[in-house]
Amino acid sequence: MDAAPFPLGAAIDQRETTGAAGQALAHHFTQLTAENHMKPEAWYDDDGTFAPDPQIDALMSYAQAKGLRVYGHVLVWHNQTPAWFFTHEDGTPLTDGAADQQILRDRLRNHIHAVAEYLADGWGEFGNGNPLVAWDVVNEVIDKGTGFADGMRRSEWYRVLGEEFIDLAFTYADEAFNDRHAGPAATGRPVALFINEFDTETADKQDRYHALVSRLLERGVPVDGVGHQMHVSLDVPVESLAAALDRFAAMPVQQAVTEMDVPTGMPVTPSALAEQGHYYEAAFRAFRERADVLFSVSLWGFHDGRSWRDAYGAPLLLDEQLEAKPALAGALAGLRAASPS
Ligand code: 9MR
């Protein structure tokens, strides 16, 4: 995708780092995200000892060898996080009392610093050879429904610390990745710190996301970027994807498309694949026209056979034989299309 005016990423695991897949990935993409293996649970063994999953090493070393950027996913989430984060040693839940809040703050800070130290020790200081350029610092912190006046998801993080957990996660990430483990040659803040969310193209979610990011910026929280997952489908208007990016354009942040996929629905017919090609073309044209605000655009998977949504119809750009689909031709056409004057 030489035509892309922004880094183009794919979510992968170790399987995509070797053989034909490893070659093809580096041919089509310039950035990778760990689909599962940098989530909180990937850094600990069953008794809570810091013990990074070997897949982390495989992904980092592959990226460094191929000259690909790594977009980290994710430091703080309500899923795929060990239960001990939120309990005392005897298994009783932490409360929102001051002492328990401090326990969770310390665990959050220790987690983020341990991750930064491990990655810097293994692949170089940030901004100075390390391929890691960004993190989803927090993911999916907005509630799915509109039941809560503040719009926030009632996660375990929220239950103990309230919205403060978001401020702290960004602050700790900034100190770990952009200060303590940033290389001497690094300029600015080498690791961009993102908030990430799904359904940001829908009205309610977008309003609550915008309000939250506004609050964070007002409080001086070091948020560099706003991520839009874009797990969409053919009946989601591309205009709504563009509008989601435009909604945040006036804010002092970068943006990223972090997890895009577009299933055709079943059955997967040639005409559905053609329609999907047109969809990707229109979406990538919209992204190209907004390249100045885009940190990167990532697909959630490398090929259809490895997509979490394959059962809903061939969502990605390549099929499982790594052959180009109309979706890839569409994405390329969208990237090459002249911007409207
Ligand atoms: O694609 C991931 C899938 O393999 C995992 O089983 C799942 C578990 O929670 O997480 C998927 O990735 C999610 C991502 O981390 C956050 N946004 C939604 C993604 C799809 O569910």
Side-chain angles (χ1 to χ4, degrees):
M1 288 255 195
D2 295 341
F6 35 70
L8 194 71
I12 66 165
D13 70 21
Q14 193 169 6
R15 286 171 279 182
E16 281 76 53
T17 63
T18 58
Q23 295 297 332
L25 184 82
H27 174 70
H28 291 291
F29 294 92
T30 51
Q31 179 176 287
L32 63 84
T33 297
E35 183 179 4
N36 284 297
H37 295 96
M38 292 191 189
K39 293 173 178 175
E41 67 181 10
W43 300 92
Y44 300 93
D45 67 13
D46 289 346
D47 65 13
T49 306
F50 190 74
D53 190 304
Q55 291 232 16
I56 296 163
D57 297 21
L59 295 175
M60 290 296 292
S61 295
Y62 168 78
Q64 200 161 52
K66 297 285 185 187
L68 302 175
R69 313 195 322 169
V70 174
Y71 184 113
H73 174 84
V74 48
L75 291 172
V76 177
W77 198 22
H78 60 278
N79 273 342
Q80 291 176 279
T81 300
W84 55 257
F85 264 94
F86 312 107
T87 62
H88 293 283
E89 274 181 26
D90 65 3
T92 55
L94 297 183
T95 69
D96 60 0
D100 284 4
Q101 287 185 327
Q102 194 53 42
I103 290 172
L104 191 54
R105 286 189 199 105
D106 291 344
R107 287 178 184 166
L108 175 60
R109 187 168 184 279
N110 289 343
H111 170 64
I112 290 173
H113 275 267
V115 167
E117 182 177 354
Y118 181 77
L119 294 176
D121 284 353
W123 294 273
E125 292 170 310
F126 303 106
N128 201 20
N130 193 301
L132 186 103
V133 294
W135 270 105
D136 287 331
V137 176
V138 299
N139 188 36
E140 302 171 0
V141 299
I142 311 270
D143 190 51
K144 272 197 220 169
T146 50
F148 301 111
D150 65 5
M152 300 299 293
R153 179 191 290 274
R154 266 47 185 175
S155 66
E156 287 291 272
W157 291 109
Y158 189 93
R159 182 180 65 74
V160 178
L161 286 171
E163 196 170 300
E164 181 196 335
F165 84 88
I166 302 173
D167 302 39
L168 293 174
F170 278 94
T171 300
Y172 298 152
D174 199 36
E175 76 190 18
F177 289 92
N178 289 324
D179 185 4
R180 180 175 297 185
H181 298 288
T187 50
R189 303 170 58 251
V191 178
L193 304 179
F194 275 77
I195 185 168
N196 192 37
E197 192 53 71
F198 64 92
D199 285 353
T200 64
E201 65 282 355
T202 63
D204 286 337
K205 184 60 95 60
Q206 191 182 103
D207 285 347
R208 283 176 282 149
Y209 200 28
H210 191 273
L212 172 61
V213 176
S214 300
R215 293 198 295 279
L216 295 175
L217 293 173
E218 272 165 28
R219 295 201 290 262
V221 177
V223 179
D224 297 298
V226 171
H228 306 264
Q229 294 187 6
M230 296 197 185
H231 293 295
V232 294
S233 56
L234 293 175
D235 56 9
V236 174
V238 167
E239 292 73 26
S240 70
L241 308 186
L245 297 171
D246 292 343
R247 181 75 188 276
F248 292 83
M251 286 181 160
V253 290
Q254 303 183 70
Q255 299 191 61
V257 177
T258 51
E259 306 187 11
M260 189 176 191
D261 47 26
V262 193
T264 60
M266 296 299 266
V268 180
T269 61
S271 70
L273 289 171
E275 188 186 345
Q276 184 190 48
H278 293 306
Y279 192 97
Y280 271 112
E281 178 175 354
F284 273 66
R285 185 182 303 120
F287 300 155
R288 182 182 190 277
E289 290 164 2
R290 290 161 181 78
D292 55 333
V293 302
L294 281 171
F295 180 84
S296 60
V297 172
S298 294
L299 280 295
W300 202 245
F302 174 42
H303 63 78
D304 288 338
R306 289 272 294 104
S307 164
W308 74 300
R309 297 177 88 195
D310 195 32
Y312 301 94
L316 298 170
L317 304 183
L318 303 177
D319 69 19
E320 57 194 303
Q321 273 74 50
L322 308 181
E323 298 292 338
K325 297 162 57 191
L328 179 65
L332 285 170
L335 289 173
R336 292 197 182 112
S339 302
S341 54

